Short mmCIF file of all heavy atoms in Angstrom, two decimals:
data_model
loop_
_atom_site.label_atom_id
_atom_site.label_comp_id
_atom_site.label_asym_id
_atom_site.label_seq_id
_atom_site.Cartn_x
_atom_site.Cartn_y
_atom_site.Cartn_z
N ASN Q 129 90.74 78.20 97.26
CA ASN Q 129 92.13 78.13 96.83
C ASN Q 129 92.82 76.84 97.32
O ASN Q 129 93.62 76.05 96.64
CB ASN Q 129 92.97 79.24 97.30
CG ASN Q 129 92.73 80.55 96.47
OD1 ASN Q 129 92.67 80.48 95.28
ND2 ASN Q 129 92.71 81.69 97.01
N ILE Q 130 92.57 76.50 98.58
CA ILE Q 130 93.16 75.24 99.18
C ILE Q 130 92.71 74.09 98.45
O ILE Q 130 93.42 73.15 98.08
CB ILE Q 130 92.75 75.13 100.72
CG1 ILE Q 130 93.35 76.27 101.54
CG2 ILE Q 130 93.09 73.70 101.17
CD1 ILE Q 130 92.93 76.31 102.99
N ARG Q 131 91.34 73.96 98.05
CA ARG Q 131 90.83 72.81 97.33
C ARG Q 131 91.48 72.90 95.87
O ARG Q 131 91.80 71.80 95.41
CB ARG Q 131 89.34 73.03 97.07
CG ARG Q 131 88.61 73.03 98.43
CD ARG Q 131 88.62 71.51 99.06
NE ARG Q 131 87.79 70.62 98.39
CZ ARG Q 131 86.49 70.48 98.46
NH1 ARG Q 131 85.84 71.19 99.36
NH2 ARG Q 131 85.84 69.59 97.75
N LEU Q 132 91.56 74.01 95.23
CA LEU Q 132 92.28 74.02 93.93
C LEU Q 132 93.62 73.61 93.89
O LEU Q 132 94.14 72.83 93.16
CB LEU Q 132 92.13 75.43 93.28
CG LEU Q 132 90.76 75.90 92.90
CD1 LEU Q 132 90.69 77.35 92.67
CD2 LEU Q 132 90.36 75.09 91.53
N ILE Q 133 94.39 74.05 94.97
CA ILE Q 133 95.73 73.68 95.14
C ILE Q 133 96.01 72.19 95.33
O ILE Q 133 96.78 71.53 94.63
CB ILE Q 133 96.34 74.56 96.34
CG1 ILE Q 133 96.67 76.10 95.86
CG2 ILE Q 133 97.82 73.95 96.67
CD1 ILE Q 133 96.79 76.94 97.12
N ARG Q 134 95.15 71.66 96.22
CA ARG Q 134 95.20 70.27 96.49
C ARG Q 134 94.89 69.39 95.26
O ARG Q 134 95.67 68.44 94.94
CB ARG Q 134 94.15 69.91 97.58
CG ARG Q 134 94.08 68.48 98.01
CD ARG Q 134 95.39 67.84 98.65
NE ARG Q 134 95.68 68.59 99.94
CZ ARG Q 134 95.26 68.09 101.09
NH1 ARG Q 134 94.37 66.97 101.18
NH2 ARG Q 134 95.60 68.75 102.18
N ARG Q 135 93.89 69.80 94.55
CA ARG Q 135 93.53 69.06 93.36
C ARG Q 135 94.54 69.20 92.30
O ARG Q 135 94.97 68.13 91.58
CB ARG Q 135 92.21 69.66 92.82
CG ARG Q 135 91.61 68.87 91.63
CD ARG Q 135 91.11 67.51 92.19
NE ARG Q 135 90.55 66.65 91.20
CZ ARG Q 135 90.85 65.38 91.12
NH1 ARG Q 135 91.66 64.78 91.97
NH2 ARG Q 135 90.20 64.49 90.08
N TYR Q 136 95.20 70.33 92.10
CA TYR Q 136 96.26 70.54 91.14
C TYR Q 136 97.46 69.59 91.32
O TYR Q 136 97.90 68.95 90.50
CB TYR Q 136 96.76 71.98 91.18
CG TYR Q 136 97.97 72.21 90.36
CD1 TYR Q 136 97.86 72.56 88.91
CD2 TYR Q 136 99.26 72.32 90.98
CE1 TYR Q 136 99.01 72.85 88.20
CE2 TYR Q 136 100.31 72.66 90.13
CZ TYR Q 136 100.19 72.85 88.86
OH TYR Q 136 101.37 73.11 88.09
N TRP Q 137 98.00 69.47 92.66
CA TRP Q 137 99.14 68.72 92.90
C TRP Q 137 98.78 67.19 92.97
O TRP Q 137 99.61 66.44 92.41
CB TRP Q 137 99.72 69.15 94.25
CG TRP Q 137 100.35 70.38 94.25
CD1 TRP Q 137 100.13 71.53 94.90
CD2 TRP Q 137 101.46 70.81 93.37
NE1 TRP Q 137 100.99 72.61 94.65
CE2 TRP Q 137 101.84 72.15 93.69
CE3 TRP Q 137 102.23 70.08 92.51
CZ2 TRP Q 137 102.86 72.79 93.06
CZ3 TRP Q 137 103.32 70.71 91.76
CH2 TRP Q 137 103.62 72.10 92.14
N ASP Q 138 97.57 66.84 93.23
CA ASP Q 138 97.18 65.44 93.03
C ASP Q 138 97.20 65.07 91.59
O ASP Q 138 97.67 63.90 91.37
CB ASP Q 138 95.73 65.21 93.69
CG ASP Q 138 95.73 65.14 95.17
OD1 ASP Q 138 96.85 65.14 95.74
OD2 ASP Q 138 94.66 65.28 95.75
N LEU Q 139 96.65 65.92 90.72
CA LEU Q 139 96.62 65.53 89.26
C LEU Q 139 98.09 65.67 88.62
O LEU Q 139 98.26 64.92 87.69
CB LEU Q 139 95.76 66.56 88.64
CG LEU Q 139 94.26 66.37 88.91
CD1 LEU Q 139 93.34 67.48 88.34
CD2 LEU Q 139 93.72 65.08 88.36
N LYS Q 140 98.93 66.36 89.37
CA LYS Q 140 100.34 66.43 88.83
C LYS Q 140 101.11 65.19 89.42
O LYS Q 140 102.35 65.26 89.21
CB LYS Q 140 101.07 67.73 89.28
CG LYS Q 140 100.39 68.98 88.63
CD LYS Q 140 101.06 69.17 87.20
CE LYS Q 140 102.48 69.68 87.39
NZ LYS Q 140 103.03 70.04 86.11
N LYS Q 141 100.53 64.28 90.17
CA LYS Q 141 101.09 63.13 90.70
C LYS Q 141 102.21 63.53 91.75
O LYS Q 141 103.16 62.93 91.93
CB LYS Q 141 101.81 62.26 89.58
CG LYS Q 141 100.83 61.92 88.44
CD LYS Q 141 99.56 61.20 88.94
CE LYS Q 141 98.78 60.89 87.72
NZ LYS Q 141 97.48 60.18 88.18
N GLN Q 142 101.86 64.61 92.41
CA GLN Q 142 102.69 65.14 93.57
C GLN Q 142 101.98 65.22 94.86
O GLN Q 142 101.76 66.36 95.32
CB GLN Q 142 103.48 66.28 93.22
CG GLN Q 142 104.41 66.20 92.01
CD GLN Q 142 105.07 67.51 91.71
OE1 GLN Q 142 105.92 67.89 92.47
NE2 GLN Q 142 104.88 68.07 90.58
N PRO Q 143 101.32 64.11 95.42
CA PRO Q 143 100.34 64.29 96.44
C PRO Q 143 101.04 64.72 97.69
O PRO Q 143 100.25 65.11 98.63
CB PRO Q 143 99.73 62.92 96.54
CG PRO Q 143 100.85 61.97 96.04
CD PRO Q 143 101.51 62.71 95.00
N ASN Q 144 102.39 64.71 97.93
CA ASN Q 144 103.00 65.10 99.18
C ASN Q 144 102.99 66.59 99.31
O ASN Q 144 103.39 67.10 100.48
CB ASN Q 144 104.38 64.50 99.26
CG ASN Q 144 104.36 63.03 99.47
OD1 ASN Q 144 103.45 62.46 100.00
ND2 ASN Q 144 105.39 62.32 98.96
N LYS Q 145 102.81 67.29 98.18
CA LYS Q 145 102.83 68.67 98.24
C LYS Q 145 101.54 69.26 98.89
O LYS Q 145 100.55 69.47 98.22
CB LYS Q 145 103.01 69.32 96.86
CG LYS Q 145 104.40 69.03 96.36
CD LYS Q 145 104.66 69.67 94.93
CE LYS Q 145 105.00 71.18 94.92
NZ LYS Q 145 106.30 71.40 95.50
N ARG Q 146 101.57 69.52 100.16
CA ARG Q 146 100.38 69.77 101.04
C ARG Q 146 100.54 71.06 101.82
O ARG Q 146 99.59 71.79 102.01
CB ARG Q 146 100.07 68.69 101.97
CG ARG Q 146 99.67 67.35 101.36
CD ARG Q 146 98.22 67.59 100.86
NE ARG Q 146 97.60 66.43 100.34
CZ ARG Q 146 97.44 66.16 99.05
NH1 ARG Q 146 98.03 67.04 98.15
NH2 ARG Q 146 96.93 65.08 98.68
N PHE Q 147 101.77 71.47 102.22
CA PHE Q 147 101.89 72.55 103.08
C PHE Q 147 101.73 73.84 102.40
O PHE Q 147 102.21 74.10 101.19
CB PHE Q 147 103.36 72.61 103.69
CG PHE Q 147 103.49 71.86 104.98
CD1 PHE Q 147 104.01 70.57 104.96
CD2 PHE Q 147 103.17 72.47 106.13
CE1 PHE Q 147 104.11 69.90 106.17
CE2 PHE Q 147 103.25 71.76 107.39
CZ PHE Q 147 103.71 70.54 107.39
N ILE Q 148 101.00 74.78 102.97
CA ILE Q 148 100.82 76.20 102.54
C ILE Q 148 101.40 77.08 103.52
O ILE Q 148 101.08 77.16 104.64
CB ILE Q 148 99.26 76.43 102.31
CG1 ILE Q 148 98.72 75.55 101.30
CG2 ILE Q 148 99.21 77.86 101.77
CD1 ILE Q 148 97.18 75.66 101.13
N ILE Q 149 102.39 77.87 102.99
CA ILE Q 149 103.14 78.86 103.80
C ILE Q 149 102.45 80.21 103.70
O ILE Q 149 102.01 80.67 102.66
CB ILE Q 149 104.62 78.93 103.36
CG1 ILE Q 149 105.30 77.61 103.57
CG2 ILE Q 149 105.31 80.00 104.24
CD1 ILE Q 149 106.71 77.58 102.91
N LEU Q 165 95.12 79.74 107.56
CA LEU Q 165 96.09 80.44 106.74
C LEU Q 165 96.48 81.77 107.34
O LEU Q 165 97.63 82.08 107.29
CB LEU Q 165 95.55 80.76 105.22
CG LEU Q 165 95.14 79.43 104.46
CD1 LEU Q 165 94.48 79.91 103.18
CD2 LEU Q 165 96.43 78.70 104.06
N PRO Q 179 96.63 71.28 109.98
CA PRO Q 179 98.06 70.83 110.30
C PRO Q 179 99.04 71.16 109.13
O PRO Q 179 100.23 70.96 109.32
CB PRO Q 179 97.88 69.30 110.46
CG PRO Q 179 96.70 69.00 109.78
CD PRO Q 179 95.70 70.08 109.77
N TYR Q 180 98.53 71.48 107.97
CA TYR Q 180 99.42 71.70 106.83
C TYR Q 180 99.68 73.17 106.46
O TYR Q 180 99.91 73.56 105.34
CB TYR Q 180 99.04 70.97 105.59
CG TYR Q 180 97.46 71.13 105.32
CD1 TYR Q 180 97.02 72.18 104.53
CD2 TYR Q 180 96.57 70.13 105.59
CE1 TYR Q 180 95.66 72.24 104.26
CE2 TYR Q 180 95.25 70.31 105.31
CZ TYR Q 180 94.86 71.36 104.66
OH TYR Q 180 93.42 71.46 104.25
N THR Q 181 99.53 74.02 107.48
CA THR Q 181 99.82 75.46 107.26
C THR Q 181 101.05 75.84 108.18
O THR Q 181 101.26 75.22 109.30
CB THR Q 181 98.60 76.33 107.76
OG1 THR Q 181 98.23 76.15 109.11
CG2 THR Q 181 97.40 76.10 106.91
N SER Q 182 101.76 76.81 107.68
CA SER Q 182 102.95 77.30 108.31
C SER Q 182 103.13 78.60 108.08
O SER Q 182 102.67 79.29 107.07
CB SER Q 182 104.26 76.51 107.64
OG SER Q 182 105.40 76.81 108.26
N LEU Q 209 111.02 82.84 103.78
CA LEU Q 209 110.41 81.93 102.92
C LEU Q 209 111.13 80.80 102.37
O LEU Q 209 110.79 79.64 102.45
CB LEU Q 209 109.65 82.62 101.80
CG LEU Q 209 108.90 81.89 100.67
CD1 LEU Q 209 107.74 81.09 101.29
CD2 LEU Q 209 108.38 82.64 99.65
N GLN Q 212 112.04 78.31 105.10
CA GLN Q 212 110.83 77.54 105.50
C GLN Q 212 110.60 76.37 104.52
O GLN Q 212 110.33 75.30 104.84
CB GLN Q 212 109.58 78.40 105.67
CG GLN Q 212 108.42 77.67 106.32
CD GLN Q 212 108.57 77.44 107.71
OE1 GLN Q 212 109.67 77.38 108.34
NE2 GLN Q 212 107.45 77.39 108.49
N ILE Q 213 110.86 76.75 103.19
CA ILE Q 213 110.60 75.73 102.15
C ILE Q 213 111.69 74.65 102.38
O ILE Q 213 111.34 73.47 102.24
CB ILE Q 213 110.76 76.41 100.88
CG1 ILE Q 213 109.61 77.38 100.55
CG2 ILE Q 213 110.91 75.34 99.71
CD1 ILE Q 213 109.82 78.35 99.32
N ASP Q 214 112.95 75.06 102.69
CA ASP Q 214 113.97 74.13 102.76
C ASP Q 214 113.75 73.19 104.08
O ASP Q 214 114.07 71.96 104.02
CB ASP Q 214 115.34 74.77 102.95
CG ASP Q 214 115.83 75.41 101.61
OD1 ASP Q 214 115.31 74.97 100.53
OD2 ASP Q 214 116.70 76.24 101.63
N LEU Q 216 110.84 72.42 105.43
CA LEU Q 216 109.69 71.55 105.19
C LEU Q 216 110.00 70.57 104.07
O LEU Q 216 109.35 69.50 103.89
CB LEU Q 216 108.43 72.36 104.83
CG LEU Q 216 107.87 73.14 105.91
CD1 LEU Q 216 106.73 74.16 105.43
CD2 LEU Q 216 107.32 72.42 107.12
N GLY Q 217 110.90 71.01 103.13
CA GLY Q 217 111.14 70.15 101.96
C GLY Q 217 110.28 70.69 100.88
O GLY Q 217 109.06 70.69 100.91
N GLU Q 218 110.86 71.07 99.65
CA GLU Q 218 110.24 71.58 98.64
C GLU Q 218 109.23 70.65 98.01
O GLU Q 218 108.04 71.01 97.58
CB GLU Q 218 111.22 71.98 97.46
CG GLU Q 218 110.52 72.71 96.29
CD GLU Q 218 111.51 73.01 95.16
OE1 GLU Q 218 112.66 73.17 95.47
OE2 GLU Q 218 111.07 73.26 93.99
N GLU Q 219 109.47 69.31 98.14
CA GLU Q 219 108.63 68.27 97.69
C GLU Q 219 107.27 68.24 98.54
O GLU Q 219 106.28 67.62 98.09
CB GLU Q 219 109.25 66.91 97.62
CG GLU Q 219 109.62 66.31 99.07
CD GLU Q 219 110.74 66.96 99.77
OE1 GLU Q 219 111.41 67.92 99.23
OE2 GLU Q 219 111.15 66.51 100.82
N ASN Q 220 107.24 68.85 99.72
CA ASN Q 220 106.07 68.97 100.56
C ASN Q 220 105.34 70.27 100.57
O ASN Q 220 104.30 70.35 101.25
CB ASN Q 220 106.53 68.60 102.08
CG ASN Q 220 107.22 67.25 102.15
OD1 ASN Q 220 106.72 66.19 101.48
ND2 ASN Q 220 108.31 67.13 102.85
N VAL Q 221 105.81 71.30 99.91
CA VAL Q 221 105.27 72.59 99.98
C VAL Q 221 104.45 72.81 98.64
O VAL Q 221 105.01 72.73 97.61
CB VAL Q 221 106.34 73.72 100.16
CG1 VAL Q 221 105.67 75.07 100.21
CG2 VAL Q 221 107.14 73.51 101.46
N ALA Q 222 103.17 73.11 98.93
CA ALA Q 222 102.28 73.29 97.79
C ALA Q 222 102.13 74.79 97.30
O ALA Q 222 102.07 75.14 96.15
CB ALA Q 222 100.86 72.85 98.11
N ALA Q 223 102.20 75.69 98.26
CA ALA Q 223 101.89 77.06 97.89
C ALA Q 223 102.34 78.08 98.92
O ALA Q 223 102.55 77.68 100.10
CB ALA Q 223 100.42 77.35 97.61
N PHE Q 224 102.49 79.36 98.53
CA PHE Q 224 102.65 80.41 99.36
C PHE Q 224 101.51 81.48 99.19
O PHE Q 224 101.18 81.78 98.02
CB PHE Q 224 103.98 81.12 99.14
CG PHE Q 224 104.31 82.42 99.91
CD1 PHE Q 224 104.23 82.41 101.25
CD2 PHE Q 224 104.57 83.55 99.13
CE1 PHE Q 224 104.59 83.61 101.95
CE2 PHE Q 224 104.85 84.79 99.76
CZ PHE Q 224 104.80 84.78 101.24
N ILE Q 249 112.58 83.77 94.71
CA ILE Q 249 112.49 82.47 95.35
C ILE Q 249 111.37 81.52 94.71
O ILE Q 249 111.60 80.39 94.50
CB ILE Q 249 112.29 82.73 96.86
CG1 ILE Q 249 113.50 83.38 97.57
CG2 ILE Q 249 111.84 81.38 97.61
CD1 ILE Q 249 113.18 83.96 98.99
N LEU Q 250 110.34 82.15 94.55
CA LEU Q 250 109.15 81.40 93.91
C LEU Q 250 109.44 80.97 92.46
O LEU Q 250 109.14 79.83 92.14
CB LEU Q 250 107.87 82.19 93.88
CG LEU Q 250 107.25 82.47 95.41
CD1 LEU Q 250 106.11 83.50 95.24
CD2 LEU Q 250 106.82 81.31 95.99
N ASN Q 251 110.15 81.80 91.79
CA ASN Q 251 110.49 81.44 90.38
C ASN Q 251 111.57 80.22 90.37
O ASN Q 251 111.48 79.40 89.41
CB ASN Q 251 111.28 82.59 89.71
CG ASN Q 251 110.27 83.72 89.37
OD1 ASN Q 251 109.04 83.53 89.33
ND2 ASN Q 251 110.73 84.95 89.03
N GLU Q 252 112.26 80.08 91.40
CA GLU Q 252 113.29 79.06 91.53
C GLU Q 252 112.66 77.74 92.06
O GLU Q 252 113.39 76.56 92.04
CB GLU Q 252 114.36 79.44 92.26
CG GLU Q 252 115.24 80.51 91.70
CD GLU Q 252 116.34 81.15 92.53
OE1 GLU Q 252 116.52 80.56 93.75
OE2 GLU Q 252 117.11 82.05 92.15
N ARG Q 253 111.53 77.81 92.55
CA ARG Q 253 110.87 76.63 93.23
C ARG Q 253 109.58 76.22 92.51
O ARG Q 253 108.95 77.01 91.91
CB ARG Q 253 110.58 76.96 94.75
CG ARG Q 253 111.69 77.60 95.52
CD ARG Q 253 112.87 76.59 95.72
NE ARG Q 253 113.90 77.11 96.60
CZ ARG Q 253 114.29 76.53 97.75
NH1 ARG Q 253 113.69 75.45 98.16
NH2 ARG Q 253 115.27 77.02 98.38
N ASP Q 254 109.34 75.06 92.76
CA ASP Q 254 108.04 74.51 92.04
C ASP Q 254 106.93 74.61 93.17
O ASP Q 254 106.32 73.61 93.75
CB ASP Q 254 108.29 73.04 91.82
CG ASP Q 254 107.13 72.44 90.88
OD1 ASP Q 254 106.29 73.33 90.40
OD2 ASP Q 254 106.98 71.15 90.84
N ILE Q 255 106.43 75.85 93.41
CA ILE Q 255 105.51 76.20 94.36
C ILE Q 255 104.58 77.26 93.82
O ILE Q 255 104.95 78.23 93.22
CB ILE Q 255 106.19 76.75 95.69
CG1 ILE Q 255 107.06 75.65 96.34
CG2 ILE Q 255 105.19 77.33 96.67
CD1 ILE Q 255 107.95 76.13 97.33
N LEU Q 256 103.31 77.09 94.07
CA LEU Q 256 102.12 78.02 93.66
C LEU Q 256 102.25 79.27 94.48
O LEU Q 256 102.49 79.09 95.69
CB LEU Q 256 100.84 77.38 93.58
CG LEU Q 256 100.67 76.09 92.65
CD1 LEU Q 256 99.26 75.39 92.91
CD2 LEU Q 256 100.88 76.49 91.33
N PHE Q 257 101.79 80.23 93.93
CA PHE Q 257 101.68 81.64 94.68
C PHE Q 257 100.21 82.16 94.68
O PHE Q 257 99.67 82.36 93.45
CB PHE Q 257 102.75 82.66 94.12
CG PHE Q 257 102.61 83.97 94.64
CD1 PHE Q 257 102.22 84.28 96.10
CD2 PHE Q 257 102.77 85.06 93.88
CE1 PHE Q 257 102.24 85.42 96.54
CE2 PHE Q 257 102.70 86.45 94.40
CZ PHE Q 257 102.39 86.60 95.78
N ASP Q 283 99.75 82.67 90.77
CA ASP Q 283 98.90 81.71 90.11
C ASP Q 283 97.55 81.68 90.49
O ASP Q 283 96.66 81.19 89.66
CB ASP Q 283 99.56 80.27 90.47
CG ASP Q 283 101.04 80.14 90.13
OD1 ASP Q 283 101.49 80.11 88.91
OD2 ASP Q 283 101.89 80.09 91.01
N LEU Q 284 97.16 82.30 91.52
CA LEU Q 284 95.79 82.47 91.99
C LEU Q 284 95.67 83.82 92.59
O LEU Q 284 96.56 84.24 93.27
CB LEU Q 284 95.43 81.36 92.99
CG LEU Q 284 95.41 79.88 92.52
CD1 LEU Q 284 95.79 78.94 93.78
CD2 LEU Q 284 94.11 79.49 91.83
N LYS Q 306 98.10 77.99 83.98
CA LYS Q 306 98.93 76.95 84.52
C LYS Q 306 98.14 75.90 85.24
O LYS Q 306 98.28 74.73 85.18
CB LYS Q 306 100.07 77.50 85.37
CG LYS Q 306 100.95 76.60 86.13
CD LYS Q 306 101.90 77.31 87.02
CE LYS Q 306 102.79 76.32 87.85
NZ LYS Q 306 103.74 77.06 88.67
N ILE Q 307 97.19 76.38 86.10
CA ILE Q 307 96.34 75.47 86.89
C ILE Q 307 95.12 74.99 86.10
O ILE Q 307 94.88 73.75 86.23
CB ILE Q 307 95.93 76.35 88.21
CG1 ILE Q 307 97.05 76.59 89.08
CG2 ILE Q 307 94.91 75.45 88.99
CD1 ILE Q 307 96.79 77.40 90.29
N VAL Q 310 95.57 71.97 83.90
CA VAL Q 310 95.67 70.66 84.58
C VAL Q 310 94.33 70.25 85.13
O VAL Q 310 93.81 69.15 84.92
CB VAL Q 310 96.66 70.81 85.88
CG1 VAL Q 310 96.62 69.51 86.68
CG2 VAL Q 310 98.01 70.99 85.24
#
Side-chain angles (χ1 to χ4, degrees):
N129 280 325
I130 293 174
R131 299 287 292 275
L132 288 166
I133 290 165
R134 176 70 63 94
R135 191 66 182 138
Y136 172 81
W137 288 118
D138 282 349
L139 293 169
K140 292 277 288 184
K141 310 301 182 187
Q142 297 182 68
N144 291 332
K145 289 178 83 68
R146 289 290 183 257
F147 271 96
I148 300 176
I149 299 173
L165 294 175
Y180 48 83
T181 57
S182 177
L209 172 61
Q212 188 77 331
I213 293 168
D214 290 340
L216 295 170
E218 183 178 338
E219 72 280 3
N220 298 317
V221 178
F224 173 58
I249 294 165
L250 292 171
N251 288 345
E252 294 175 2
R253 308 293 186 122
D254 191 18
I255 291 167
L256 298 175
F257 173 36
D283 301 292
L284 297 154
K306 173 181 176 178
I307 294 174
V310 173

